[in-house]
Amino acid sequence: MHLEWTSIVLTLIAFLILYWLLNRYAFGPLFSVMEKRRELVTQQMNEAKQTREQAAAYVEEQKQALQQARKEAYDIIEQSKQTGSKQAEQIIGEARSEAGRLKDEAVREIESERNKAIAALRSEVGKASVQIASKLIQKEIKDDQVQEELVDQYLKEVGGRA
């Protein structure tokens, strides 16, 4: 194998030109992008560290707040137990008196409706009696059987309306 110095020199010159072009147009922007990326990663790592510290402090605050809330809840439950029985007795007493009042009112209302129904029935019976008598007078009845049939028929009519 034979080396030619001219091709080595030309290759070396081409390499130096290529290196100079890359250094001038490619390496500078590439290194600046890489530096910006390094700074960004460093900044994000610092922010993450601060966030972890803040989260730890927040967790501790939340633990203390939770303990305080549990204590307050326990106090509220105890107070509710004390006042709950008093209120329950009061509510039961009020409910019993209300039930008695409603029962008395219902009894009065039932009695009133019963009296109204009796009065209405008496009025209807009176009207029916007058109508029967007037029909009997209008018709001359010669046969007792015809009279009984007429009375039965009219009573069925009146009974069908009620």
Side-chain angles (χ1 to χ4, degrees):
M1 201 160 121
H2 180 355
L3 292 175
E4 289 191 32
W5 292 101
T6 56
S7 67
I8 292 176
V9 170
L10 287 176
T11 306
L12 187 59
I13 292 173
F15 178 75
L16 289 174
I17 292 172
L18 179 64
Y19 180 76
W20 178 76
L21 289 172
L22 284 175
N23 194 22
R24 180 173 179 119
Y25 296 108
F27 290 148
L30 180 66
F31 287 143
S32 71
V33 168
M34 290 175 61
E35 181 62 26
K36 287 179 185 176
R37 179 71 180 149
R38 185 188 65 77
E39 289 173 2
L40 179 65
V41 168
T42 303
Q43 179 185 5
Q44 288 177 344
M45 288 176 58
N46 289 337
E47 289 174 1
K49 181 180 177 183
Q50 289 176 349
T51 303
R52 276 194 304 271
E53 291 171 357
Q54 289 174 351
Y58 183 71
V59 166
E60 188 61 34
E61 289 176 16
Q62 292 302 315
K63 285 181 182 178
Q64 292 174 358
L66 182 60
Q67 288 176 348
Q68 181 65 27
R70 285 182 180 160
K71 181 181 178 294
E72 290 174 3
Y74 179 77
D75 292 343
I76 290 171
I77 290 171
E78 288 300 315
Q79 185 179 11
S80 296
K81 285 180 182 178
Q82 292 173 358
T83 59
S85 61
K86 292 178 185 177
Q87 288 178 347
E89 291 174 7
Q90 180 183 4
I91 290 171
I92 289 172
E94 289 174 1
R96 285 184 179 155
S97 66
E98 181 68 15
R101 186 188 65 78
L102 289 175
K103 180 182 172 188
D104 293 341
E105 187 177 306
V107 167
R108 285 192 302 271
E109 190 173 323
I110 290 170
E111 186 66 29
S112 171
E113 290 296 321
R114 182 176 154 265
N115 290 338
K116 286 179 185 177
I118 289 172
L121 185 60
R122 284 183 183 160
S123 172
E124 287 294 320
V125 168
K127 288 178 185 176
S129 297
V130 169
Q131 287 179 352
I132 289 174
S134 67
K135 281 192 178 185
L136 287 176
I137 292 173
Q138 287 176 359
K139 238 181 180 187
E140 291 182 16
I141 300 175
K142 297 179 183 166
D143 192 356
D144 286 338
Q145 187 177 11
V146 173
Q147 184 179 6
E148 284 180 24
E149 288 176 7
L150 182 62
V151 170
D152 287 339
Q153 178 186 357
Y154 189 74
L155 286 176
K156 285 180 186 176
E157 288 176 15
V158 171
R161 285 189 226 158

